[in-house]
Amino acid sequence: SAVISQKPSRDICQRGTSLTIQCQVDSQVTMMFWYRQQPGQSLTLIATANQGSEATYESGFVIDKFPISRPNLTFSTLTVSNMSPEDSSIYLCSVEPGLRTKRFFGPGTRLTVL
Amino acid sequence: GIQVEQSPPDLILQEGANSTLRCNFSDSVNNLQWFHQNPWGQLINLFYIPSGTKQNGRLSATTVATERYSLLYISSSQTTDSGVYFCAGPVAGKGGSEKLVFGKGTKLTVNP
């Protein structure tokens, strides 16, 4: 299993600003995944982050809007840039501790943009 | 890409009742997973079940991979079972990874 923490747990931000979300895992993992969950919706993958390489983004998500860092095997950050009210969502990081095993999720960051 | 359909979208039960949630896939999957999202937003992995049947307390899951569906059974439901249940299956992602594709979920409400 994996224990994942995220900071902040929630935030209220003004439009046009940026917020950086941190994800910390209690064990080394190769890949970390960032998801967005808009209100009342399912989860959508934003990007996959490997240590030592650039993140790979899913269709509809771009690096300028959601820059990701992955400095080591236990930590990653996601920045939501130039925010608008449409960015109001829960942002979750996820890991897969072993190949083709359970995926685990952090507690999420609940973001509200005014 | 793979399509994941869950039914029913909403379910209301009285405490103590049993229920079955269904997940259909448009293509074969090899590591289907069930999650419970509680009212506070926390996602808990319930089962990793590529095929066969697994049980964990009052919950059990069955995946019939050849027929592209999985079922989640909840017996003797409790109010703490309320929340949204998601199933998810893998598809090939970019860079050689596998990404999970989620269904839209079943929202379960258990009343006392």
Side-chain angles (χ1 to χ4, degrees), chain B residues 38-85:
Chain B
N38 65 26
W40 296 270
Q42 175 71 61
L43 267 168
I44 304 297
N45 192 306
L46 299 174
F47 292 102
Y48 172 95
I49 182 164
S51 64
T53 297
K54 290 187 178 180
Q55 181 146 11
N56 184 2
R58 296 180 294 103
L59 303 181
S60 66
T62 296
T63 295
V64 183
T66 54
E67 298 188 21
R68 303 175 185 174
Y69 74 88
S70 184
L71 303 173
L72 178 68
Y73 305 96
I74 304 174
S75 64
S76 304
S77 58
Q78 300 176 358
T79 56
T80 52
D81 294 331
S82 295
V84 182
Y85 290 80

Side-chain angles (χ1 to χ4, degrees), chain A residues 31 37 42 57-58 100 103, chain B residues 37 48 94 98-99 103:
Chain A
M31 286 184 285
Q37 187 178 27
S42 185
Y57 289 81
E58 296 300 308
R100 293 188 173 175
R103 292 275 173 97
Chain B
Q37 187 169 39
Y48 172 95
K94 299 177 182 178
E98 279 191 336
K99 64 175 185 177

